[in-house]
Amino acid sequence: MSDADLAKKREGTFVTGLPDFSSDPVTGFGFGARTNVYWNGQRTNPFFAYTPYLLKLKANAAYYTSNARELVLGLDAPYYNGTRWRFKLDFKAQQNPANLYFGLTEATLGELRLPSTPEGGPTYATYEAFDRARKTLRPSQPGEASALVTDALSNRFRETEFMLNLKADYALGAGRWRVMGGYEIQHLSYKTFEGEPAEALMPISGEATEAPNGTSLLRRDFEQDRVFGLEGGWISILQTALLYDTRDFEPDPTRGYYFEVANEFSNRIIGSQFNFNKLFVQGKAYQRLPLGPRTVLAGRLGAGTIFGNRAPFFEFQDQWSPDGSINALGGRQSLRGYRANRFLARSVAFANLELRARLFETTLGKQRFTFAVAPFVDAGTVRDRWQDLGLRDIRASYGAGLRLAWNQSTIISFDYGLSREDKLLYFGLGQAF
């Protein structure tokens, strides 16, 4: 850490706990509790200046207006007991009925199209126009339950997940390089919303009403063998990674680099119901600039792909990273001007750039708070083959954020992202990268 930040780092054990008020355009407004217990040790500890903490225990619980709910428990011990080992243990139980699905190929890079509309039908340049058209009553198609139906829920599905993950990494040489191995077991189940009552609009008057939901896009793609995995089940995964990390302070760096090559292997021979392999590469860079009290230019590049002819659709939705998995492409972690999972295909590439400028800091009692602004630009694309990744059909968004740092380790973020399709506000704990 820099001398200035090191002088402000707290010794001993302390708790940061706060009500969890968050907002996401997909899951809605959330409330709950997020608590962290930190063991920082004393300044005499030789690791005090090199670790964000000696041990962290987190316990998070949240409920969202979309009826999503989540419980997360985690334990993180860098340089465990003064050794080169770092151990992480995570448990998650969550149910989210507001997941979005727009397709699973690079065709999602096109403009929005109603789930019931065939190729060549009308498209919508903005999400607002698309959402209104989706809710407008339409005549039913074969197999649908009513003469008139709505597509209000036809891009949505519900996911229920139970997950346990154990990871360990070992520092090589001076500690900049690390090798990591882990094991994760999950049970996943899914539901789509055919025939369920949903919002609707009358075709001519636009009057609000209610009608049965039509066939979901995910269900239709599954029945036509375009996607796999809607039946859910057990997923057993072996995780490996090679890491290079010179960041001075992991939660909020002012300088340094982070690079990783991460892989997930799932196969029936280790007890999984699905066979696939996921490879993800990313790099992050942080450089302090001679502007103001603390201004940092932060950037990230990432690319990933999935191997396996019958890889389940849900594995397309995120890229696994030991530094924190990334929902791609779209949403708070990758492309902040677009909805989560707006663009999905077998391969993904994206970039983020932020200018994090501290405005001021203050101390209340024994608690230290700093405030910063962070204008940003995000860009990315998806492809059906990793060999086709490039600069064609790039989707971009931009915006600005506010950052509140509590005792340096807990970062509260507010981000407002804009794109040609949408305008979205997010707030919650942690930074995008």
Side-chain angles (χ1 to χ4, degrees), residues 378-424:
D378 303 327
T381 191
V382 296
R383 290 290 182 273
D384 295 332
R385 304 189 321 144
W386 65 266
Q387 297 94 328
D388 296 331
L389 287 172
L391 299 179
R392 178 172 54 88
D393 291 331
I394 297 293
R395 298 294 175 262
S397 63
Y398 63 95
L402 295 175
R403 303 286 184 267
L404 168 62
W406 179 8
N407 287 335
Q408 298 176 298
S409 300
T410 301
I411 311 297
I412 304 170
S413 298
F414 301 80
D415 287 324
Y416 185 65
L418 301 95
S419 69
R420 65 184 188 183
E421 191 174 282
D422 225 336
K423 300 175 182 177
L424 303 171

Side-chain angles (χ1 to χ4, degrees), residues 254-331:
T254 63
R255 57 184 170 83
Y257 302 93
Y258 177 89
F259 173 77
E260 71 178 19
V261 180
N263 191 82
E264 286 192 310
F265 172 77
S266 177
N267 195 279
R268 297 183 185 276
I269 64 175
I270 57 171
S272 181
Q273 293 179 226
F274 300 94
N275 297 340
F276 62 86
N277 197 74
K278 292 174 67 174
L279 178 65
F280 180 60
V281 180
Q282 74 164 329
K284 308 177 188 180
Y286 306 87
Q287 178 62 54
R288 187 163 184 171
L289 304 179
L291 301 171
R294 184 182 186 270
T295 302
V296 177
L297 183 64
R300 173 174 67 176
L301 289 171
T305 194
I306 304 173
F307 301 96
N309 293 333
R310 297 179 66 87
F313 79 95
F314 48 82
E315 291 297 336
F316 287 63
Q317 297 176 110
D318 72 273
Q319 299 297 317
W320 174 74
S321 163
D323 206 41
S325 294
I326 302 160
N327 290 334
L329 186 61

Side-chain angles (χ1 to χ4, degrees), residues 157-158 188-192 216 218-220 222-223 227-233 274 312-314:
F157 64 92
R158 186 180 73 194
L188 299 170
S189 57
Y190 295 94
K191 175 180 172 58
T192 53
S216 77
L218 178 57
R219 174 67 60 181
R220 183 178 289 114
F222 175 72
E223 291 176 348
V227 304
F228 307 97
L230 188 57
E231 69 276 15
F274 300 94
F313 79 95
F314 48 82

